């Protein structure tokens, strides 16, 4: 390859890296100060682009000058910054005290709402923004033509990095940001107006996301899918760089930019996987990212978020459980076909959610990628039936084995980490699994998936299949529940409460977490197998991020500190989705609003609310 | 654009007077008076609104027109129950079930994404209900994964690729590069292209292939990689935001200068409009130059559409309109809503539509609806097509022996 | 009888030598205190014995077996109990469940999935709680207890390992003076009665001089003095670098400064 080409390709990588950094720096700042993993950061990016394609052309009507273009870009970013402030004031401020996972869920609710708001305001057609006046042309670099605008973008990243450095070291606000990033409690203790600091940080974070989006308009058109496509990439950058580290984000962005620029030459089909492979590799070697520092151990003892006192059923609880089971059993006698379908799904999701809470609530292992094991179970079952012609029974047996085997494989690395990095590694593995299912067309059928995954003849009637699902799902839930009360479950809880203490009484914490991860993966795999046979098909959406988020939403709605709450959450979440989807095209907006409302009204989930009610009675 | 979905349940639940009124109004003014024939239409109305909302609009328009003229099967009105399919096979299967059981729909129609279409097709097969797959492009739905109950209207990936390849006949470019989104549609378009291009231009060599992730093209890196291979010609399958980014980068860096480009779907208004004045000139594309179609029936539909929705028609609109015309003809012919009767009647059914006659080939249950092939051109600040001609789908169908082999193995 | 032999431990952190050639022995039933100013290497030494840190060189031998560099959980299984500067307990559990958990771990039954954790070893756990005078609080959530009581429970947890050796890192840190004395008394009593060797670091000189059988004085990673409390008190070197000429009061100040250990 000639040198000119390599140089230009590297410059392309730098331009992408620069854009990525501007966005990621905002996310990492917000995380550093508020400890909120802000899913809505991608929405701010998208809003930045939409603002810019609205404001900039209007400005250019007056005069096609580069200055007006950049004023428009900055104005767009400022508007988005104000939207960030609005989000802080209206939503985040009310939930700083609730568990971190709830905050995450609330920001996901914002993502859904913004998606539909954008659709409503700007319509479904992509909007191409104007090119930057004065930077439309290409310049020749070693005989290769290269867009002038991208040369300009290459400089934006370092400039933003420099300005952020000045802000962080030369202003009181910036120094407070750094202090809060290092030790959040200290800032509170210093008597700093924390509310103002957080609001300011959200402005800055949203501004940077908006700036990143607005700067993209000469390159890409504003579209309704921008948010989701950017957010995973930005997560990867911040995690590789080390959460909270702006310089780390810069390095990571450079790395990813070059990886993509040259990756397309060597592996044109798997650029997506490359990025996640890089992230997994970095986290395995450097558990806190390139420049991140370990989460400071809590100075004072705090109650963990999760199952606290797993009490066995009392009389009322037993009655409710029996009624629920009875309802499932008599349902086929009364309900119509659709009700049976819905109940079948709820049972499947209940098992998946329960297995996730086994990790999150009981073990303190927050998995962002639980759908991977659900999906891999479904794929194992589906492929055995369709490719090897096995009947349903052995396929259903294979589902938990596959889920468990992959959970064991991925979990081996996952349990070496903790906290947000652990969550991000689970996400990375889930994305890798997703990409493999998506792109290994010969075996998995690619994104089309595989159809024809139907139950054996004896179970093909909806009644029988419902009973089959009920038996498997309730049986597995009861078994997992039993493990929760057994020494193994208690040991996971103990390790969550105090890893140091668990170690000192002779518990091999990693191995236990690994076993727990595997067990939960197996249960999720079984749920996936059951799901595949109820739908008749498998496809990569079963392993996708939205599916993982759905599971998280279910356990959070149900309450992660209760044992049976996740079941309630699965039913409630499914019911909400089922109720709003037929109402309007804008059902995502309603779903997002419902999630946020539930977080605000029941900060401990429905199960927590029930427990509080019982305690009061 | 109507924002409310018109399902009876939704209207009641939302208390939306608008939707209810349109249903009532529909019945009051029509001459069709019998019990309505309900058809469950599920589609990505939320996620793929740019295509599916014009599609739904045109379906309403067509249904109203037919109902006003007396409906189908001797006076029964057509009633579509529109539902979002959630853009995921799992959600779609549930919605389909809901439409069949609770909404009492006689059969199903719709879907946009191929994976959703295939899942619904398989469900329809399982439930022995007719499914009119309108938009999914995947070849699989009529080939290896085709089934007795699934019929597809829109010309498939293979058909559209073949139209383009035929249009390249007589060209001399030997070094080709392929750029396609990395999912089934892109991959199978690329595979079809590689298989067929040799027939039009002997001795073709594929010098570069780029498969950026859908919705995330890194345009700079991709264009750089293509330039490096120095192709004479490019086969492009990118669309939507990916296409815009690719075209801009390619324009700036001179990728398209003195290069022959074949591009799938780029001439459809859905993808042409967002390109604006960046629309490249001289590409050979498939598309829908609605303003250039001279046939009178088509003109009438365009006028009615523009008058009612105050918007220009899209490819989705055309497909929606044609679909309803085909369905109405099917119901009249079968004179029954029984699935088996419908399936039998659908095979080799010839319908007159706004694009001319469309036949549902019995062999693979693929309609012969065609599309337009032409050259892109910039008029003012928007792109359009010139020298376009309607290619009848019948000319580019899968060879019969291939269909037999594929469907036998299914 | 020698229970623990520490022989020539060295440890550096990026050029700073936190422990130089540290050697000592501990007999069963003996209480050995490690004292020293802030940054003297107390915690480093302590953590090398407990398995939290791996020494650069040197050996740790427990009951004739080399345990150098083994992880804490393995050290624990060799009957070593441990308490922490900030008490580490299982906050979501009740007092007795904390001890039961330790007993389950000691018995190697943590992977059992069939039995019920709360039903295992309850009697044994209550007996251990009785030993530290916490039996009456057995079924309260541990989060509700006063800190001094939590420390006692932690001692019971450590005793669940049926330890030959107890490692106590600043056992009285964060406690009220009266509680300190009673905890040290309790520890000393149990140690002597059961023949348990106790190695502890401590900044409270009252506790050290009242309960330690022998004392090691560590300064900049080196043992500068060792012996009975009387011998250490009389040592000129110790007086000069650590206790200061005015004796007790200065030692106390030094101790207060030493609250933040380098490697806690």
């Amino acid at each position: 390859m000639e040198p000119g080409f390599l140089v230009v390709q590297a410059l392309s990588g730098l331009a992408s890296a620069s854009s990525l950094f501007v966005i990621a720096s905002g996310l990492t700042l917000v995380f550093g100060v508020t400890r909120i993993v802000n899913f809505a950061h991608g929405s701010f990016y998208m809003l930045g682009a939409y603002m810019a394609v609205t404001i900039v052309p209007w400005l250019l009507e007056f005069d096609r000058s580069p200055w007006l273009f950049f004023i428009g870009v900055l104005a767009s970013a400022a508007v988005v910054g104000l939207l960030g402030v609005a989000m802080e004031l209206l939503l985040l401020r009310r939930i700083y005290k609730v568990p971190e996972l709830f905050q995450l869920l609330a920001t996901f609710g914002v993502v859904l709402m913004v998606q539909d708001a954008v659709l409503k305001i700007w319509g479904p057609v992509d909007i191409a923004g104007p090119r930057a006046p004065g930077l439309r042309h290409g310049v020749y670099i070693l005989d290769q033509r290269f867009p002038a605008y991208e040369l300009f973008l290459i400089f934006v990243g370092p400039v933003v990095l420099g300005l952020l450095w000045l802000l962080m070291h030369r202003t009181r606000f910036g120094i407070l940001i750094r202090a809060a990033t290092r030790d959040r409690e200290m800032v509170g203790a210093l008597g700093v107006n924390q509310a103002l600091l957080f609001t300011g940080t959200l402005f800055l974070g949203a501004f940077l996301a908006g700036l990143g989006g607005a700067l993209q308009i000469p390159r890409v058109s504003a579209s309704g899918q921008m948010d989701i496509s950017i957010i995973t990439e930005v997560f990867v950058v911040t995690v590789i760089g080390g959460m909270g580290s702006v310089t780390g984000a810069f390095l990571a962005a450079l790395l990813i930019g070059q990886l993509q620029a040259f990756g397309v030459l060597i592996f044109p089909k798997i650029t997506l996987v490359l990025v996640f492979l890089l992230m997994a590799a970095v986290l395995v070697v450097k558990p806190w990212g390139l420049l991140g520092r370990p989460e400071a151990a809590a100075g004072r003892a705090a109650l963990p978020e999760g199952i606290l006192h797993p009490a066995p059923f009392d009389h009322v609880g037993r009655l409710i459980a029996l009624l629920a089971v009875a309802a499932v059993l008599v349902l086929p006698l009364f309900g119509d076909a659709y009700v049976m379908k819905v109940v079948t799904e709820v049972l499947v999701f209940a098992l998946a959610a329960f297995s996730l809470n086994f990790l999150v609530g009981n073990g303190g292992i927050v998995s962002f990628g639980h759908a991977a094991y659900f999906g891999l179970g479904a794929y194992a079952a589906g492929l055995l039936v369709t490719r090897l012609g096995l009947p349903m029974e052995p396929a259903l047996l294979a589902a938990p084995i596959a889920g468990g085997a992959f959970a064991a494989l991925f979990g081996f690395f996952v349990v070496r980490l903790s906290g947000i990095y652990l969550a991000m590694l689970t996400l990375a593995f889930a994305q890798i699994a997703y990409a493999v299912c998506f792109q290994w067309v010969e075996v998995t059928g690619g994104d089309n998936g595989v159809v024809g995954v139907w139950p054996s003849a004896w179970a093909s009637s909806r009644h029988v299949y419902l009973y089959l699902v009920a038996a498997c799902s309730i049986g597995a839930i009861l078994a997992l529940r039993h493990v929760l009360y057994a020494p193994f479950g208690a040991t996971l809880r103990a390790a969550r409460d105090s890893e140091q203490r668990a170690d000192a009484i002779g518990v091999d914490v990693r191995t236990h977490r690994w076993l727990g991860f595997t067990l939960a993966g197996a249960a999720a795999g079984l749920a996936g197998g059951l799901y595949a046979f109820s739908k008749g098909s498998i496809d990569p959406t079963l392993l996708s991020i939205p599916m993982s988020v759905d599971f998280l939403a279910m356990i959070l709605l149900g309450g992660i500190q209760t044992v049976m709450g996740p079941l309630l959450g699965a039913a409630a979440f499914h019911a909400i989705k089922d109720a709003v989807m037929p109402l309007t095209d804008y059902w995502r907006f309603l779903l997002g609003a419902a999630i946020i409302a539930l977080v605000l009204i029941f900060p401990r989930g429905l199960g927590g609310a029930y427990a509080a009610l019982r305690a009061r009675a | 654009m109507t924002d409310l979905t018109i399902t009876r349940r939704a209207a009641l639940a939302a208390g939306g007077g608008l939707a209810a009124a349109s249903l009532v109004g529909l019945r009051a003014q029509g001459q069709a008076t019998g019990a309505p024939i309900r058809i469950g239409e599920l589609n990505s109305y939320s996620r793929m609104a740019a295509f599916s909302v014009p599609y739904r609009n045109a379906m309403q328009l067509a249904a109203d027109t037919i109902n006003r003229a007396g409906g189908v099967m001797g006076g029964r009105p057509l009633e579509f129950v529109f539902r979002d399919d959630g853009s995921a096979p799992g959600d779609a299967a549930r919605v389909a079930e809901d439409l069949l059981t609770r909404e009492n729909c006689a059969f199903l129609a719709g879907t946009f994404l191929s994976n959703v279409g295939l899942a619904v097709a398989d469900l329809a097969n399982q439930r022995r209900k007719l499914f009119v797959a309108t938009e999914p492009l995947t070849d699989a739905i009529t080939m290896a994964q085709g089934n007795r109950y699934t019929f597809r209207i829109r010309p498939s990936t293979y058909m559209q690729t073949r139209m383009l390849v035929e249009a390249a006949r007589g060209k001399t470019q030997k070094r080709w590069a392929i750029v396609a989104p990395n999912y089934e549609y892109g991959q199978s378009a690329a595979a079809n292209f590689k298989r067929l291009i040799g027939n039009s231009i002997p001795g073709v060599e594929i010098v570069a292939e780029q498969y950026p992730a859908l919705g995330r093209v890194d345009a700079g890196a991709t264009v750089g990689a293509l330039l490096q291979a120095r192709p004479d010609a490019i086969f492009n399958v990118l669309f939507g935001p990916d296409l815009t980014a690719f075209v801009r980068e390619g324009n700036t860096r001179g990728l398209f200068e003195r290069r022959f480009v074949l591009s799938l779907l780029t001439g459809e208004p859905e993808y042409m409009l967002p390109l604006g004045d960046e629309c490249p000139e001289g590409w050979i594309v498939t598309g829908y130059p609605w303003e250039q179609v001279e046939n009178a029936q088509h003109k009438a539909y365009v006028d009615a559409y523009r008058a009612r929705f105050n918007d220009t028609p899209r490819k989705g609109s055309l497909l929606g309109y044609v679909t309803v015309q085909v369905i109405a003809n099917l119901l009249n012919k079968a004179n029954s809503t029984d699935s088996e009767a419908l399936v039998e009647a659908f095979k080799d059914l010839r319908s007159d539509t706004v694009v001319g006659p469309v036949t549902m080939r019995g062999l693979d249950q693929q309609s012969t609806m065609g599309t337009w092939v032409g050259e892109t051109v910039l008029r003012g600040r928007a792109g359009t097509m010139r020298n376009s001609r309607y290619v009848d789908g019948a000319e580019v169908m899968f060879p019969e022996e291939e269909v037999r082999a594929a469907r036998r193995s299914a | 009888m020698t229970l623990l032999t520490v022989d020539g431990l060295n440890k550096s952190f990026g050029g700073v030598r936190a422990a130089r050639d540290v050697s000592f022995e501990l007999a069963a039933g003996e209480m050995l205190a490690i004292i020293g100013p802030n940054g003297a290497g107390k915690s480093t030494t302590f953590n090398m014995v407990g398995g939290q840190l791996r020494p650069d060189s040197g050996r740790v031998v427990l009951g004739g077996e080399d345990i150098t560099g083994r992880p804490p959980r393995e050290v624990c299984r060799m009957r070593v109990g441990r308490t922490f500067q900030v008490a580490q307990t299982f906050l979501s559990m009740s007092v007795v469940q904390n001890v039961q958990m330790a007993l389950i771990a000691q018995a190697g039954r943590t992977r059992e999935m069939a039995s019920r954790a709360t039903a295992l070893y309850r009697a044994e756990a209550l007996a251990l709680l009785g030993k530290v005078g916490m039996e009456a609080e057995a079924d309260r959530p541990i989060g509700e207890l006063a800190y001094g009581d939590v420390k006692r429970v932690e001692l019971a947890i450590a005793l669940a390992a049926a330890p030959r050796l107890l490692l106590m890192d600043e056992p009285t840190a964060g406690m009220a003076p009266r509680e300190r004395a009673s905890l040290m008394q309790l520890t000393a009593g149990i140690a002597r009665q059961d023949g348990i060797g106790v190695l502890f670091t401590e900044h409270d000189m009252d506790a050290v001089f009242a309960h330690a059988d022998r004392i090691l004085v560590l300064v900049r990673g080196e043992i500068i003095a060792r012996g009975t409390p009387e011998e250490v008190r009389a040592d000129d070197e110790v007086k000069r670098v650590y206790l200061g000429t005015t004796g007790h009061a200065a030692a106390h100040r030094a101790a207060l400064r030493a609250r933040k250990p380098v490697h806690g």
Side-chain angles (χ1 to χ4, degrees), chain B residues 158-160 162-163 166 169 361 367-371 373 389-399:
Chain B
Y158 172 87
M159 291 162 72
Q160 300 208 35
R162 188 161 159 194
M163 289 178 198
E166 302 277 340
R169 204 174 279 280
R361 182 162 84 164
S367 95
T368 63
M369 180 184 179
T371 195
V373 175
R389 91 185 166 93
Y390 178 77
V391 180
D392 192 334
E395 299 169 20
V396 289
M397 307 281 269
F398 267 112

Side-chain angles (χ1 to χ4, degrees), chain C residues 141-153:
Chain C
I142 198 159
E144 288 180 3
L145 298 189
Y147 191 62
D149 289 345
V150 175
K151 285 283 208 181
R152 283 167 177 263
V153 177

Side-chain angles (χ1 to χ4, degrees), chain B residues 92-113:
Chain B
R94 190 179 61 250
V95 171
E97 201 79 42
D98 189 15
L99 288 168
L100 290 177
T101 56
R102 291 216 158 156
E103 301 285 357
N104 290 316
C105 294
F107 59 89
L108 299 170
T111 73
F112 183 95
L113 302 170

Side-chain angles (χ1 to χ4, degrees), chain A residues 309 482 485 497-498 501 506 512, chain C residues 77 88 92 110 114 117 154:
Chain A
H309 311 294
H482 192 83
Y485 294 100
D497 286 3
S498 169
R501 170 46 72 202
H512 281 78
Chain C
R77 287 201 201 105
Q88 291 290 323
S92 66
T110 52
E154 204 192 17

